[in-house]
């Protein structure tokens, strides 16, 4: 009986904690879906501290200097692509990720940006404070 219960719980936990990336990034809406927020909460669990992606609106930024605003669908596509190209590394180490940094916006920045909660950078080497300000201004004027 214990074996059946343990096996059932293990099987269930694979679906709960190993969120399926295929249900993420289906659209480019900055508001995260339930699947996307669960995936990101798990994917960035070691670096997000207490930030919870549930119900959040995210700015996605890419290119080495962070000079391009990307989309949610592009971000998740990059994760899928990286996972396919590096499937042996991902399977062996189970925590390899694309270069992603979470930048939680201040209350003032949330207002200035039009309600965004955070910036998620991918493949960005370094994001300066000046570039951060420009991103907030750019997102405000484009949306």
């Amino acid at each position: 009986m214990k074996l059946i219960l343990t096996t059932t719980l293990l099987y269930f936990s694979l679906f709960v904690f190993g969120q399926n990336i295929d249900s993420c990034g289906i659209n480019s809406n900055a508001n995260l879906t339930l699947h996307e927020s669960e995936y990101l909460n798990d994917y960035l669990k070691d670096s997000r501290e207490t930030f919870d992606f549930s119900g959040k609106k995210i700015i996605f930024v890419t290119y080495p200097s962070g000079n391009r605003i990307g989309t949610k669908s592009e971000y998740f596509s990059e994760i899928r692509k990286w996972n396919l190209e590096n499937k042996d590394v991902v399977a062996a180490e189970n925590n390899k990720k694309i270069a992603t940094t979470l930048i939680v916006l201040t209350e003032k920045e949330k207002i200035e940006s039009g309600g965004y909660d955070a910036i998620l950078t991918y493949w960005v080497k370094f994001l300066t404070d000046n570039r951060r300000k420009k991103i907030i201004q750019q997102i405000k004027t484009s949306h």
Side-chain angles (χ1 to χ4, degrees):
M1 182 67 168
K2 285 184 179 182
L3 179 60
I4 293 171
L5 180 61
T6 303
T7 304
T8 303
L9 289 174
L10 178 62
Y11 182 74
F12 177 71
S13 69
L14 289 175
F15 292 104
V16 173
F17 298 110
Q19 298 300 324
N20 186 355
I21 186 125
D22 293 332
S23 59
C24 298
I26 296 170
N27 63 46
S28 292
N29 187 328
N31 295 306
L32 299 177
T33 66
L34 176 63
H35 292 292
E36 292 162 346
S37 60
E38 287 175 349
Y39 185 88
L40 289 173
N41 278 334
D42 185 56
Y43 192 68
L44 299 173
K45 65 184 171 203
D46 296 331
S47 61
R48 66 179 173 85
E49 297 177 6
T50 61
F51 186 82
D52 183 357
F53 283 95
S54 300
K56 298 297 193 268
K57 190 174 181 182
I58 305 296
I59 304 168
F60 294 88
V61 175
T62 192
Y63 281 17
S65 60
N67 62 346
R68 182 178 169 272
I69 294 181
T71 66
K72 178 173 66 174
S73 57
E74 290 171 340
Y75 175 75
F76 284 108
S77 178
E78 285 292 318
I79 294 174
R80 282 187 210 90
K81 179 181 168 188
W82 195 94
N83 286 345
L84 284 174
E85 291 173 356
N86 299 284
K87 61 184 172 190
D88 295 333
V89 174
V90 172
E93 299 183 29
N94 199 31
N95 67 350
K96 290 289 183 177
K97 299 170 180 62
I98 67 170
T100 300
T101 302
L102 170 67
I103 302 164
V104 180
L105 299 181
T106 65
E107 288 301 319
K108 181 182 177 192
E109 290 171 327
K110 286 181 190 180
I111 294 166
E112 290 174 357
S113 69
Y116 286 84
D117 298 287
I119 298 171
L120 245 179
T121 68
Y122 57 106
W123 305 125
V124 174
K125 291 183 180 183
F126 185 73
L127 190 72
T128 65
D129 289 337
N130 190 34
R131 183 66 197 134
R132 178 176 172 161
K133 290 174 188 173
K134 286 181 181 179
I135 290 167
I136 291 168
Q137 285 302 312
Q138 185 178 355
I139 203 77
K140 180 181 181 179
T141 58
S142 67
H143 293 97

